[in-house]
């Protein structure tokens, strides 16, 4: 009776790919759902960064399915042991996984950049972040088009047989652009958060949360080293094992580190810091001498009647965004305020008491 178990041997390393792939996928999905849920609990709305992150999660699930299909088709085995149909399915699964890989990396960075747009409180900083977004999207679109037509039609996925462009050169160029996009994202976040008015012990963890994407750079370099080492291989189903494994780590960790800035402690510190920064950079309103009704005018209207004026000032200042009239402080993180003008309201209560209640 034949056993249904898959044996892991030196000649069949494919199952070793499936284990980290599905484990990291589960962790990534949980991290993404926690990010989306925690942010919704704070701002009570779903926004573009949530859509980008959810889309990245869905695309990565598709990537894991493609990798599983690649393993079934013979990834981790010698090409000489595969039949023609298995080789064709291996090529098609690899083709799909490459397109999904590039798409997921782009969406993960877009989620973080969109959140930086919400934190940018002036147009010059928004333009800086939008420039990084344009570079990220442009490089991803060019890479997807290149992957889609990497080999001659009508079989653009046939990398093991048909004439294709230089795979090694292309992926090294894409890795370089990916590193540049990550560095630009990190520098943009530092630029936006450097003047945040919070204590140093709070500011450092906030910047570190956004700079977590720096962890992607060594993973990209390791992936490119493996890819370059086996670029001229004549046994790609077997030799691509290390490259595929680092690709799985890269795509999942890319989403997970993009979720770090959305953790509740970081969000709370950001909300406090952005509000404080806005208050310190705005011009206060005029003093009480320019209120609509002053004590001096009341005194002239009363005349010479004996009276007692009791003034009770409440120095409670409140900061509100001049947008819809009912904005919530959570809008600072949600980016929903249509204007940036802040108003400091001073409340003054005046009580007038007469000795003689009757006037002539």
């Amino acid at each position: 009776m034949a056993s249904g178990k898959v044996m892991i041997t030196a000649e069949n390393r494919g199952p070793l790919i499936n284990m980290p792939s599905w484990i990291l996928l589960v962790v990534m999905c949980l991290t993404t759902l926690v990010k989306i849920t925690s942010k919704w609990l704070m701002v009570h709305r779903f926004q573009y960064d949530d859509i980008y992150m959810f889309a990245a999660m869905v695309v990565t699930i598709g990537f894991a399915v493609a990798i599983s299909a690649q393993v079934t088709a013979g990834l981790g085995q010698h090409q000489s042991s595969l039949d023609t149909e298995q080789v064709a399915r291996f090529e098609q699964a690899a083709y799909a996984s490459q397109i999904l890989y590039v798409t997921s990396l782009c969406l993960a960075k877009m989620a973080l950049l969109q959140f930086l747009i919400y934190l940018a409180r002036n147009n010059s900083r928004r333009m800086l972040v939008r420039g990084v977004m344009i570079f990220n999207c442009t490089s991803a679109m060019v890479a997807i088009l290149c992957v889609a037509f990497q080999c001659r039609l009508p079989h653009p996925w046939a990398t093991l047989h048909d004439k294709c462009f230089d795979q090694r050169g292309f992926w090294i160029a894409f890795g370089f652009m990916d590193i540049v996009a990550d560095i630009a994202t990190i520098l943009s976040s530092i630029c936006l958060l450097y003047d945040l008015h919070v204590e140093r012990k709070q500011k450092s963890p906030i910047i570190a949360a956004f700079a977590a994407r720096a962890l992607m750079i060594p993973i990209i370099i390791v992936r490119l080293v493996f890819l370059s080492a086996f670029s001229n291989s004549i046994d790609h189903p077997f030799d691509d094992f290390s490259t595929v494994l680092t690709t799985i780590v890269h795509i999942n960790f890319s989403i997970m580190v993009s979720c770090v800035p959305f953790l509740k402690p970081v969000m709370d510190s950001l909300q406090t810091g952005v509000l404080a920064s806005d208050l310190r950079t705005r011009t206060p309103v005029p003093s009480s001498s320019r209120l609509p009704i002053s004590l001096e005018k009341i005194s002239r209207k009363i005349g010479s009647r004996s009276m007692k004026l009791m003034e009770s000032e409440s120095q409670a200042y409140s900061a509100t965004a001049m947008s819809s009239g009912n904005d919530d402080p959570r809008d600072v993180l949600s980016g929903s305020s249509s204007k940036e003008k802040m108003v400091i309201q001073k409340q003054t209560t005046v009580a007038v008491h007469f000795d003689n209640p009757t006037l002539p």
Side-chain angles (χ1 to χ4, degrees), residues 16-187:
L16 289 175
I17 289 286
N18 277 335
M19 287 189 291
S21 176
W22 291 107
I23 290 173
L24 287 175
L25 181 69
V26 171
V27 176
M28 181 275 298
C29 290
L30 291 175
T31 305
T32 302
L33 294 176
V34 168
K35 175 266 175 193
I36 295 174
T37 303
S38 62
K39 185 165 177 286
W40 184 86
L41 290 175
M42 291 195 69
V43 301
H44 297 296
R45 59 176 66 90
F46 293 111
Q47 298 174 297
Y48 286 118
D49 60 285
D50 302 308
I51 296 173
Y52 286 133
M53 195 65 76
F54 185 79
M57 181 186 72
V58 173
V59 170
T60 305
I61 293 174
F63 171 84
V65 173
I67 293 297
S68 182
Q70 222 177 334
V71 171
T72 303
L75 177 62
Q77 302 178 42
H78 291 288
Q79 186 172 342
S80 59
S81 65
L82 306 179
D83 57 35
T84 304
E85 183 181 352
Q86 284 180 302
V87 171
R89 285 192 285 112
F90 172 84
E91 291 174 327
Q92 292 167 359
Y95 178 77
S97 67
Q98 290 172 352
I99 294 177
L100 294 172
Y101 167 70
V102 175
T103 305
S104 177
L105 295 182
C106 175
L107 291 171
K109 284 192 281 286
M110 286 297 293
L112 191 56
L113 290 167
Q114 184 63 48
F115 187 52
L116 290 177
I117 287 286
Y118 296 149
L119 296 178
R121 307 303 290 173
N122 59 61
N123 290 331
S124 60
R125 295 185 178 185
R126 290 194 187 99
M127 290 296 294
L128 171 65
V129 178
R130 288 194 178 104
V132 180
M133 294 174 76
I134 292 172
F135 175 79
N136 178 51
C137 291
T138 303
S139 60
M141 290 175 63
V142 171
I144 290 172
L145 287 174
C146 290
V147 172
F149 301 100
Q150 59 186 306
C151 300
R152 293 182 300 180
L153 297 175
H155 303 294
W157 56 80
T159 56
L160 301 182
H161 296 95
D162 288 347
K163 184 177 180 180
C164 308
F165 62 60
D166 182 9
Q167 299 282 317
R168 177 179 175 272
F170 165 75
W171 286 112
I172 288 177
F174 174 75
F176 175 76
M177 290 191 295
D178 197 27
I179 290 174
V180 170
D182 279 328
I183 293 175
T185 302
I186 295 168
L187 293 179

Side-chain angles (χ1 to χ4, degrees), residues 288-299 301 348 350:
S288 59
S289 62
R290 298 175 67 178
L291 292 174
I293 301 179
S294 65
L295 296 179
E296 183 181 355
K297 290 182 180 180
I298 295 177
S299 178
K301 290 184 179 180
T348 304
V350 179

Side-chain angles (χ1 to χ4, degrees), residues 306-310 351-356:
S306 175
M307 60 176 288
K308 296 179 181 179
L309 296 178
M310 295 177 293
V352 182
H353 176 74
F354 295 94
D355 287 338
N356 184 4

Side-chain angles (χ1 to χ4, degrees), residues 106-328:
C106 175
L107 291 171
K109 284 192 281 286
M110 286 297 293
L112 191 56
L113 290 167
Q114 184 63 48
F115 187 52
L116 290 177
I117 287 286
Y118 296 149
L119 296 178
R121 307 303 290 173
N122 59 61
N123 290 331
S124 60
R125 295 185 178 185
R126 290 194 187 99
M127 290 296 294
L128 171 65
V129 178
R130 288 194 178 104
V132 180
M133 294 174 76
I134 292 172
F135 175 79
N136 178 51
C137 291
T138 303
S139 60
M141 290 175 63
V142 171
I144 290 172
L145 287 174
C146 290
V147 172
F149 301 100
Q150 59 186 306
C151 300
R152 293 182 300 180
L153 297 175
H155 303 294
W157 56 80
T159 56
L160 301 182
H161 296 95
D162 288 347
K163 184 177 180 180
C164 308
F165 62 60
D166 182 9
Q167 299 282 317
R168 177 179 175 272
F170 165 75
W171 286 112
I172 288 177
F174 174 75
F176 175 76
M177 290 191 295
D178 197 27
I179 290 174
V180 170
D182 279 328
I183 293 175
T185 302
I186 295 168
L187 293 179
S188 297
S189 62
I190 293 174
C191 178
L192 294 179
L193 301 173
Y194 181 76
D195 60 350
L196 206 63
H197 291 285
V198 295
E199 297 181 6
R200 185 180 297 274
K201 63 180 181 180
Q202 289 180 302
K203 182 182 295 186
S204 297
I206 293 174
I207 294 178
F210 282 88
R213 287 209 64 87
L215 297 174
M216 298 299 97
I217 297 176
I219 298 177
I220 296 172
I221 294 174
V222 171
R223 179 179 180 273
L224 294 179
V225 169
F226 284 130
L227 191 145
S228 298
F230 301 107
S231 60
N232 297 321
S233 171
I234 58 174
D235 192 9
H236 279 288
F238 186 80
D239 291 335
D240 285 352
F241 175 86
S242 300
T243 304
V244 172
L245 186 59
T246 52
T247 303
I248 291 170
V249 173
H250 184 205
I251 191 173
N252 285 282
F253 271 82
S254 177
I255 296 177
M256 286 190 277
V257 298
S258 293
C259 292
V260 172
F262 297 92
L263 296 174
K264 192 175 186 304
V266 180
M267 294 278 284
D268 289 340
S269 298
L270 280 173
Q271 179 172 304
T272 302
V274 173
L275 280 173
S277 299
D278 280 338
L279 289 176
R280 295 190 185 192
T281 56
R282 310 299 175 181
T283 305
V285 298
S287 63
S288 59
S289 62
R290 298 175 67 178
L291 292 174
I293 301 179
S294 65
L295 296 179
E296 183 181 355
K297 290 182 180 180
I298 295 177
S299 178
R300 285 200 299 267
K301 290 184 179 180
I302 297 297
S304 60
R305 292 287 180 180
S306 175
M307 60 176 288
K308 296 179 181 179
L309 296 178
M310 295 177 293
E311 180 178 2
S312 173
E313 281 194 322
S314 173
Q315 299 294 337
Y317 293 89
S318 61
T320 57
M322 294 288 290
S323 58
S324 61
N326 57 352
D327 287 340
D328 189 273

Side-chain angles (χ1 to χ4, degrees), residues 319-340:
T320 57
M322 294 288 290
S323 58
S324 61
N326 57 352
D327 287 340
D328 189 273
R330 292 170 299 191
D331 290 340
V332 174
L333 295 182
S334 67
S336 61
S337 296
S338 59
K339 296 182 181 179
E340 297 181 7

